[in-house]
Amino acid sequence: MGRAVAAARLPAEPGEPARRGRGRALLWPATVALVSAVVFLGVRGSLIDDSFITLSYARNLAEHFHWGLVEAETANSATSPLNVLLLALGGTLTRVAGGQVHPVAGAGLVFVAAMTAVGWGLARITRALRLPFFTAVAGTAAILVNPFVLSATGLEVHLISAALVLLTAYAVEGRAIGFGVVAGLAVLVRLDLVVFVVLFALGAGALRRRLLPVAGVTLAVCLPWFVFSWFALGSAIPDTFLIKTTQGAFGEYTYGNGPEYYLDPKRWKATLVAFAPAVAGLVVLLGWLGWLVVRRDQAARFGPVGVLGLGGLAYYGAYSLLGVPPYQWYYVAPIVALTVVFVVGAGWLARGGAFRVGVASLAFALAVLPAAYLDVHRGVPWTAPPIFGNWATAADYARVGREIGARVGGATVAAPPEIGTLAYFCECTMVDTFSDQGRVVPLVAQRIAAAGPVPGFLLRLDYHWLDRARRPRPVDYRLDWSWTPISGPDTWHLRSPATGDGWVRLVRI
């Protein structure tokens, strides 16, 4: 017995910690991938209209090597070129025996890969800062179940999450080349993530000391696409920047006061649990800034995490100044950034005594459990996400889109205000400013005329290669939307949990 006790107290074999580390390194990403796949299966039937715009781009790229929402027209309204490229790759990998591309299944692959990257990146941050591993678990779960993030599945929101986490991980580790690669990919996910890239490059000492290599690698990764887009697609910056910034507010709500817009009776619970970790992260960020003043030597190693939080605030401020509408996916970057700040702060707190561990555990639970409960309590699988504003569910739009496609064949149809899901399932030539660049040309002219000297010059430069003589595609039909009941041939009734009943009629011109 004595020998057994003594043996139990002997030091571990030299290779044992390494084996445990390798085991965790394999088990953790596999677990995240499996859980993410299950989550995607629960939400795949609830994709929002803008997600189907991106899926249409991906399908056209995979099937026809064509960049556009519809096959008949080249367009530049895909905000996230990297998301389109990855969705097209994922859809191609899911081809069945008959050769059909499945973009929704491809979206599932991208969803799982992005969330696995989030988990992997948070594990690296946790290890570099010597935090409890549960910090990575809680952070990954908080992002995965966040209603604002999950409600925009199919858009680039999970790639945004992965990019921000990986930027932070490489900044914490001081790996300039890895940071540069992820930075280049980040601006291909969304150009506005350059806010985070610049702040990291200037605010993290290890990156600032190697600024030229960081900038060189970043440009080497992203510049080829922007040059191609400038020449081939008419502008380096996607047309969505022009389209969205000319749409105006949702009534009295713009991005700045947009969270209040989502506090209506149907969405207030999901909105509160989505923003709660970010608000807690803001408190942690303020605490870190105070700590930086008092104990700079100790607080400095958490610097890249603080820079991430400051990037979230800068991003929110920039979008508020632009005055764009409060689309839910615009809030994902600051929510994710401040959520990571929060879980890192709670992880640091958990390094203390029993009381601090208890407080940190409670914080982790509050960041994850309420959101997970709301996601499941509303019913699984989802027919519509908790944060939803479309005029019809995906299922209703799919039904109507297929029937319209059967009626119009190769004719051109002018879309109602929401084009994504209808055009995807119609597989016809449906046009608006997102699919027909001829309809963007007047917007460009109006915007340049109204802009000041410097913005006007930048807009003219961006659209230098746009064919200004391009005209809108002639249409054979239009889809008229009505909020009051209508009947007759080629008329469909649709319903949305957000807006109620609506009707759409196909009218021949």
Side-chain angles (χ1 to χ4, degrees), residues 76-443:
N76 193 20
S77 60
T79 304
S80 176
L82 184 59
N83 193 31
V84 172
L85 292 169
L86 292 176
L87 289 173
L89 176 60
T92 301
L93 293 175
T94 61
R95 283 181 185 267
V96 295
Q100 184 180 0
V101 172
H102 290 274
V104 175
L109 295 179
V110 174
F111 179 95
V112 170
M115 283 309 308
T116 303
V118 167
W120 182 71
L122 282 170
R124 295 182 72 111
I125 295 169
T126 297
R127 183 169 60 250
L129 297 178
R130 300 186 181 91
L131 303 176
F133 182 73
F134 196 71
T135 306
V137 178
T140 305
I143 293 171
L144 178 62
V145 301
N146 187 287
F148 263 65
V149 182
L150 201 54
S151 292
T153 296
L155 290 176
E156 61 274 8
V157 290
H158 294 94
L159 293 178
I160 290 172
S161 305
L164 294 181
V165 169
L166 292 176
L167 285 173
T168 309
Y170 284 119
V172 167
E173 296 172 345
R175 298 180 59 181
I177 302 304
F179 177 88
V181 171
V182 176
L185 295 174
V187 295
L188 293 177
V189 171
R190 275 192 79 95
L191 182 57
D192 49 36
L193 294 185
V194 72
V195 171
F196 292 92
V197 171
V198 171
L199 286 177
F200 272 121
L202 299 179
L207 301 177
R208 189 170 60 249
R209 289 188 290 271
R210 301 192 63 191
L211 202 55
L212 284 179
V214 167
V217 173
T218 301
L219 291 174
V221 172
C222 69
L223 195 58
W225 168 262
F226 290 115
V227 172
F228 166 80
S229 179
W230 191 41
F231 284 104
L233 303 178
S235 63
I237 300 173
D239 293 337
T240 43
F241 174 79
L242 192 71
I243 295 169
K244 298 295 187 181
T245 54
T246 56
Q247 284 182 338
F250 285 4
E252 61 183 297
Y253 298 105
T254 60
Y255 184 86
N257 64 347
E260 185 183 350
Y261 169 75
Y262 291 98
L263 292 175
D264 59 49
K266 296 180 180 178
R267 299 181 291 194
W268 70 270
K269 292 180 183 178
T271 301
L272 288 181
V273 299
F275 278 92
V279 173
L282 179 59
V283 174
V284 172
L285 179 63
L286 294 175
W288 173 78
L289 291 172
W291 188 26
L292 196 63
V293 173
V294 177
R295 299 294 298 271
R296 182 180 179 85
D297 55 331
Q298 291 185 11
R301 71 189 185 97
F302 289 90
V305 179
V307 171
L308 175 68
L310 293 174
L313 298 183
Y315 188 100
Y316 196 101
Y319 263 70
S320 298
L321 291 174
L322 286 173
V324 295
Y327 292 112
Q328 67 205 57
W329 51 94
Y330 290 175
Y331 294 98
V332 166
I335 284 176
V336 169
L338 289 169
T339 296
V340 172
V341 172
F342 167 60
V343 296
V344 167
W348 175 83
L349 187 67
R351 299 174 65 202
F355 174 75
R356 293 172 68 183
V357 170
V359 172
S361 300
L362 178 62
F364 286 143
L366 291 176
V368 176
L369 296 182
Y373 172 77
L374 282 176
D375 291 343
V376 174
H377 178 69
R378 64 192 317 275
V380 179
W382 286 359
T383 55
I387 306 298
F388 185 67
N390 290 151
W391 292 1
T393 63
D396 266 10
Y397 270 147
R399 169 179 56 84
V400 174
R402 291 188 184 99
E403 294 184 21
I404 290 172
R407 281 165 173 73
V408 303
T412 301
V413 183
E418 294 181 337
I419 187 176
T421 317
L422 286 171
Y424 181 88
F425 287 99
C426 177
E427 298 191 60
C428 58
T429 304
M430 193 172 288
V431 294
D432 70 353
T433 52
F434 289 95
S435 62
D436 180 5
Q437 208 167 34
R439 295 167 182 256
V440 176
V441 171
L443 292 179

Side-chain angles (χ1 to χ4, degrees), residues 33-77:
L34 178 60
V35 173
S36 300
V38 172
V39 171
F40 182 79
L41 291 176
V43 306
R44 67 189 300 272
S46 67
L47 303 186
I48 61 174
D49 195 71
D50 283 74
S51 296
F52 279 102
I53 291 177
T54 308
L55 290 170
S56 292
Y57 266 88
R59 182 174 62 193
N60 282 321
L61 181 62
E63 291 183 345
H64 310 292
F65 208 64
H66 169 75
W67 196 265
L69 196 159
V70 297
E71 186 184 350
E73 291 285 339
T74 298
N76 193 20
S77 60

